Amino acid sequence: MKDKVVLAYSGGLDTSAAIKWIAEKYSMDVIALSIDLGAEKEYEAIKQKALKVGAVKALIVDAREMFINDYVFPALQADVIYEGQYTLATALARPLIAKLQVEVALREGATAVAHGCTGKGNDQVRFDVSVAALAPQLKVIAPAREWGMTREETIEYARRNGIPVPVTVASPYSIDENLWGKSIECGILEDPWAEPPEEIYTWTRAAKDTPDEPAYVEISFERGVPGGLDGKKMSGRELVEKLNLLAGLHGVGRVDHVENRLVGIKSREIYESPAATVLLSAHLALEQLTLSKDQLRFKQRVALEYADLIYNGLWFSGLRQDLAAYVAHTQRHVNGVVRVKLLKGRSTVVGRKSPESLYSYKLATYDKEDQFDQSAAVGFIQIFGLPVRTQAQAQGMEEDQ
Ligand code: ARG
């Protein structure tokens, strides 16, 4: 009996070639596992393709709810954004794919898992590290890292082996999509000076083609988790799907980022992440209303570290789990509604309310309702003396010493 390997199968050229290549090179039975994270693909056709190319078994797992609830929303609660721009759609999906792969591998008695990543990106590391954390006994096979074929050679290899080469292969772009966003790289985008051609955008309209009238959405949060749109309760997945469409229609969520990969390369990536963009700013706005200054400031520091952990593939690390527990605790007061305006490529928070708001009108107002004792402010001057000393006074003090 041959050893078995579970391949994360996208249905694309590389992972299709990988089915054949692993079967030949390693003489293993390949089980193709396709995971639905919200990319609009024909999963049944993908399954058939895997079998046709030579997989002994092909499985599809719908992990959309799991992805949103167990990966995306914890990241949203943490306010993570990598290097100030990237909402981490691809990076958040990798540990979940690895986890499901490991589960199938253990159930099927496989000795290895495989992925289609090259040796230059972050994704290979995310897969390898996640598998090592969850089931170190499993071997990881990475055909595209091992076979040393160029894209042309891969196409040639596919043709020789009767693997259908889809017309989309002619597209110069490498694309990864899930509910939290779309990542696009390669082709002309490899020149960081070149403006992204309009054709790459499929989730968002160009600002000039968006409606002239703004759309408003009210997002309700419970413990930092969005659970309603315009007063209507809905599942996280549904909410994200709806927001992707609506905010995309208004051109919200285009990101052009030259980022630092963990393997030491700078790469230029374009992202479309309408729902993520809206939800991250709405969530932060609600925290600004409901958390104390110190809670918020500390949380922002944690977010930087947390984003790096996710980007670097350390989702299953002890530190990431510890930070998740901290973040979850901070969310106990993050309840309320945020009002967002979508217009011409921008999403702007225009209102927020919460039963646990720390905002006090009576303290903030300049009107006659003002209850802030302004004479108390003199106390601040005693505590923070230096900023109000004149330069002359400050110099005089130095001379005294
Ligand atoms: N740069 C992003 C990351 O490392 C996305 C990687 C995948 N991008 C792609 N176009 N296939 O998370």
Side-chain angles (χ1 to χ4, degrees):
M1 226 178 67
K2 288 183 180 172
D3 279 350
K4 294 181 212 162
V5 52
V6 178
L7 168 71
Y9 183 62
S10 69
L13 176 70
D14 285 335
T15 51
S16 297
I19 293 181
K20 196 96 217 162
W21 190 85
I22 296 173
E24 278 176 357
K25 167 99 198 277
Y26 286 89
S27 184
M28 292 174 105
D29 279 341
V30 180
I31 299 171
L33 174 65
S34 305
I35 296 165
D36 181 357
L37 297 174
E40 279 173 12
K41 293 187 190 174
E42 272 302 325
Y43 285 94
E44 198 43 50
I46 289 177
K47 183 175 167 176
Q48 294 313 322
K49 184 172 178 186
L51 293 170
K52 186 164 169 276
V53 174
V56 296
K57 202 177 209 178
L59 304 167
I60 303 164
V61 174
D62 179 353
R64 287 174 293 178
E65 304 278 347
M66 213 185 290
F67 179 52
I68 291 295
N69 297 328
D70 303 344
Y71 293 77
V72 167
F73 284 173
L76 171 65
Q77 290 179 307
D79 303 309
V80 290
I81 300 182
Y82 184 67
E83 295 182 341
Q85 283 190 274
Y86 168 38
T87 62
L88 292 163
T90 300
L92 282 164
R94 297 319 187 209
L96 172 56
I97 296 172
K99 179 168 176 277
L100 294 169
Q101 247 183 317
V102 164
E103 279 170 18
V104 171
L106 299 181
R107 201 168 64 225
E108 299 280 344
T111 54
V113 292
H115 59 69
C117 308
T118 69
K120 293 181 72 169
N122 302 309
D123 285 333
Q124 51 165 345
V125 182
R126 296 172 184 148
F127 277 117
D128 296 356
V129 168
S130 297
V131 173
L134 297 171
Q137 74 276 23
L138 293 175
K139 185 179 155 60
V140 179
I141 300 174
R145 189 166 63 189
E146 298 169 24
W147 64 33
M149 290 192 277
T150 63
R151 187 136 190 96
E152 286 309 311
E153 288 162 353
T154 313
I155 293 174
E156 187 39 44
Y157 176 86
R159 293 221 166 96
R160 259 202 330 270
N161 286 284
I163 299 167
V165 179
V167 274
T168 51
V169 162
S171 154
Y173 306 110
S174 160
I175 293 168
D176 180 64
E177 281 176 292
N178 62 50
L179 286 168
W180 203 229
K182 173 177 175 186
S183 311
I184 314 149
E185 62 181 354
C186 301
I188 182 77
L189 303 174
E190 284 176 355
D191 173 2
W193 176 249
E195 181 173 351
E198 197 51 40
E199 74 195 25
I200 65 165
Y201 298 107
T202 54
W203 288 31
T204 55
R205 284 201 192 175
K208 67 173 176 45
D209 300 327
T210 59
D212 290 328
E213 290 304 311
Y216 288 87
V217 272
E218 293 187 4
I219 303 159
S220 11
F221 289 86
E222 243 174 75
R223 295 183 149 249
V225 175
L229 221 50
D230 296 327
K232 196 170 161 267
K233 260 189 172 342
M234 61 186 75
S235 74
R237 180 191 129 197
E238 198 187 345
L239 188 144
V240 169
E241 284 170 350
K242 285 211 153 74
L243 269 182
N244 272 330
L245 290 178
L246 182 65
L249 178 73
H250 287 271
V252 169
R254 291 187 175 187
V255 172
D256 181 341
H257 187 194
V258 174
E259 71 193 41
N260 291 292
R261 286 192 194 160
L262 78 98
V263 295
I265 300 172
K266 280 192 193 295
S267 76
R268 199 273 191 99
E269 189 113 27
I270 303 298
Y271 298 103
E272 291 186 280
S273 46
T277 302
V278 172
L279 287 172
L280 281 159
S281 64
H283 178 263
L284 184 62
L286 192 57
E287 289 188 327
Q288 288 166 344
L289 193 69
T290 56
L291 299 188
S292 71
K293 174 178 174 180
D294 294 333
Q295 285 175 311
L296 196 64
R297 296 289 167 89
F298 191 76
K299 197 165 175 293
Q300 286 174 331
R301 291 203 247 159
V302 169
L304 281 180
E305 186 68 34
Y306 203 139
D308 281 348
L309 289 174
I310 295 173
Y311 189 85
N312 292 337
L314 297 170
W315 183 266
F316 296 112
S317 68
L319 179 56
R320 208 286 306 172
Q321 293 173 40
D322 295 346
L323 297 186
Y326 160 76
V327 168
H329 196 258
T330 62
Q331 300 298 290
R332 65 200 180 282
H333 303 302
V334 186
N335 304 310
V337 182
V338 180
R339 189 153 194 263
V340 181
K341 176 177 172 177
L342 308 170
L343 181 65
K344 295 283 166 207
R346 284 178 60 99
S347 113
T348 316
V349 171
V350 293
R352 66 291 271 160
K353 62 181 177 184
S354 167
E356 294 175 76
S357 171
L358 297 177
Y359 179 89
S360 163
Y361 173 76
K362 288 186 175 129
L363 292 182
T365 185
Y366 289 93
D367 288 344
K368 62 178 183 313
E369 289 98 328
D370 183 11
Q371 289 184 0
F372 184 77
D373 176 2
Q374 299 200 27
S375 69
V378 177
F380 291 119
I381 296 163
Q382 281 158 6
I383 299 167
F384 304 110
L386 251 180
V388 297
R389 279 188 199 110
T390 62
Q391 219 175 351
Q393 283 171 323
Q395 275 165 2
M397 277 178 51
E398 263 168 33
E399 278 160 20
D400 287 347
Q401 280 166 8

